Every structure is written in C-alpha cells, then in structure tokens.
Amino acid sequence: MDTPLAAPRPLAQMRRPSLRMITIAALVLNALVFSTDLIASGPNGLNLGHLIPPLLFAGLVAIRRRWTPALGALLGAVWLLDAFVFLTNLLIQPDSAASFAFAALFFATSLVALVAGVAATIQNYRTPYSRPFVDPPAPRLASATLLAFAALILGGILTTAIQPRSELPGIGAEALAALPALTTRDYQFKQTTITVRVGETVALRLNNADSSAHSLDIDEFNVHVPMPAGKSSLALFTPTQPGIYTFYCRPHADKAAGTGMVGTLVVEP
C-alpha cells in the first residue's frame, strides 16, 4: 500500500522571514547601534533611553497580534523625525567613517522598522485570521531589497573610510587653534555657558575628546554642527536676537528636560 506524501513547501517560501521578524530584527539592531555609547560612558539615562525603547518595542511586536508590527513602525518614525537634522548633516557631509557608519546604521534600521512595520500590519490584516495567528512570509522582493540596501550602506561606509578629506576646509590649524574652544569630554560640555553679542559672528573650535560623535545644536539659530569623535570641528553662526538659549548635543541630550549634554547660550544686546 502506497503511503501518500504531503507536498513539500517550496524551499524559498520556508526560508523567507515574515515582515514581523524583519521589523523585530531592525529594532534590535537599532538598539545595538547605541551599544558603543553604553560601553564608552557606562549606563546613564541618555544611552539607556536609546537602548531600552527599541528592545521594548521589539518585544511588543513579537506578540502575535495583527496590529503589533505598527508599534515598530511608530518608533522608527519617531527616531527618524527626532534625528532628521543630525542624520542629514552626517550623511550628506560625513566628517569620518565612524560618524557616517553610526548615522547610516541608525537611519537604515529606523527606516526598515518603519517600512517593514507598516507593510507587516497591512499584510496581516489582508491574511485570514487563525488562532494562533501565523504571519505570512514576506514578499519575495523584500529579501532582495534588504540585501541591496545593506550593500548600499556598506559601500557608503567603505567609500567614506578610504576617501581623503580635509577636516576643516578653508581654515588653517593655527587659525583654528586661536579660536575660543567648546570642549566635550565624558559626555559633557566642559563650558556650560557661552556669552556672545547679537549680530556678531561667533566662531567656536569644537573639541570632541570622547570616542563617540557628538553635535552642537542651537535650534533657534539653525546651528547643527557634527563633532566627530576625537577630532576638532568649526562652528560659525550669527545670533540675530538677544536672549537666553540652550545649546545641546542632539544624540546625547534631552533638551526639553535640560538633562545630558546641554548648556546655556547668552546673547547680549
């Protein structure tokens, strides 16, 4: 008597991950991007604030509900909106391979979490419900798209690493050394108050003594200057209104709460 054999599932379909799993992987990798900050400065509110949310959301997305991948998309969108200016500066005008790699990986994982989370939610609601709910495999195009995206990111990092670049075009080392300095060390600005005059051009030498990239951000005057790890950079701006403002490092500060890498800019009349 012949024993009927079940038709095997196509190998490609068995190996294709679901969009939910892609969302979870993107969130976990997003958290790992900030692991260098945790190693360099130890656990604190800022780096834990970048590590815990994606891991928490990854756990929530893992719950087999149709709508939970949307949570991963939500966090990806929040990350991209919050770091838009900082990421744009580092991706368009990279100052080092390390800072470009950080920005590129953070951007890529946030974008993948956003797109995969939205796509997973839509796909789940188009799939007949079962108990327990089984996620359908990702479309065949998803794997090829992810590989191409990863190759693009890797190519950008390698290109930035081998491309010779002058750190501060248009200004010599002696001129830079003569400028007043704003120094970062141990994830803090050493000068917490800067006093300038309205209408006068401010030139600051930004010294980053940490092993992680920082930035100088003053939203009111559209100042968003990357500070590559272990290097010096230049900030030039002209304050147009007197008052008291906050300068901060976007990746390592909570401006609203006034915690982390923050300082006060006093613009006198």
Side-chain angles (χ1 to χ4, degrees):
M1 179 177 179
D2 295 334
T3 303
L5 298 176
R9 297 174 61 188
L11 183 60
Q13 179 173 329
M14 292 176 63
R15 291 183 175 177
R16 289 203 320 258
S18 67
L19 288 171
R20 184 194 301 272
M21 292 306 300
I22 294 174
T23 306
I24 293 171
L27 291 171
V28 172
L29 291 174
N30 186 276
L32 292 178
V33 170
F34 283 92
S35 61
T36 54
D37 284 355
L38 183 66
I39 295 172
S41 63
N44 57 54
L46 289 172
N47 54 39
L48 292 178
H50 285 106
L51 283 167
I52 293 176
L55 294 177
L56 175 61
F57 274 66
L60 294 173
V61 174
I63 299 174
R64 290 193 174 277
R65 298 291 185 272
R66 289 183 171 187
W67 56 271
T68 53
L71 297 175
L74 175 63
L75 184 63
V78 170
W79 270 181
L80 289 173
L81 289 173
D82 179 65
F84 176 77
V85 174
F86 178 73
L87 291 176
T88 301
N89 286 337
L90 287 181
L91 292 175
I92 295 178
Q93 296 179 329
D95 44 53
S96 69
S99 61
F100 179 85
F102 171 85
L105 292 174
F106 181 75
F107 169 78
T109 53
S110 299
L111 183 62
V112 170
L114 170 59
V115 175
V118 170
T121 304
I122 294 173
Q123 186 187 51
N124 287 348
Y125 275 95
R126 289 180 174 177
T127 301
Y129 183 77
S130 60
R131 186 181 294 274
F133 182 71
V134 178
D135 292 309
R140 296 182 185 276
L141 186 60
S143 297
T145 301
L146 287 174
L147 287 174
F149 195 30
L152 179 65
I153 297 297
L154 179 60
I157 294 173
L158 293 176
T159 300
T160 306
I162 65 177
Q163 180 180 354
R165 60 180 65 248
S166 59
E167 294 181 16
L168 296 169
I171 183 170
E174 292 184 0
L176 181 66
L179 296 176
L182 178 63
T183 301
T184 64
R185 186 183 297 276
D186 299 327
Y187 289 73
Q188 295 293 329
F189 287 108
K190 293 305 179 182
Q191 297 81 11
T192 56
T193 302
I194 301 174
T195 302
V196 299
R197 290 192 176 276
V198 66
E200 293 184 355
T201 300
V202 178
L204 294 174
R205 183 177 79 255
L206 307 178
N207 295 331
N208 183 358
D210 288 325
S211 58
S212 295
H214 296 307
S215 67
L216 175 66
D217 296 274
I218 310 172
D219 296 333
E220 292 79 5
F221 303 124
N222 196 31
V223 176
H224 304 286
V225 183
M227 300 176 65
K231 297 182 180 179
S232 296
S233 54
L234 175 67
L236 283 172
F237 64 98
T238 302
T240 55
Q241 294 290 335
I244 298 176
Y245 306 93
T246 298
F247 66 86
Y248 65 104
C249 168
R250 183 174 293 272
H252 303 115
D254 184 339
K255 181 185 176 183
T259 58
M261 295 183 64
V262 298
T264 300
L265 174 70
V266 180
V267 181
E268 297 180 340

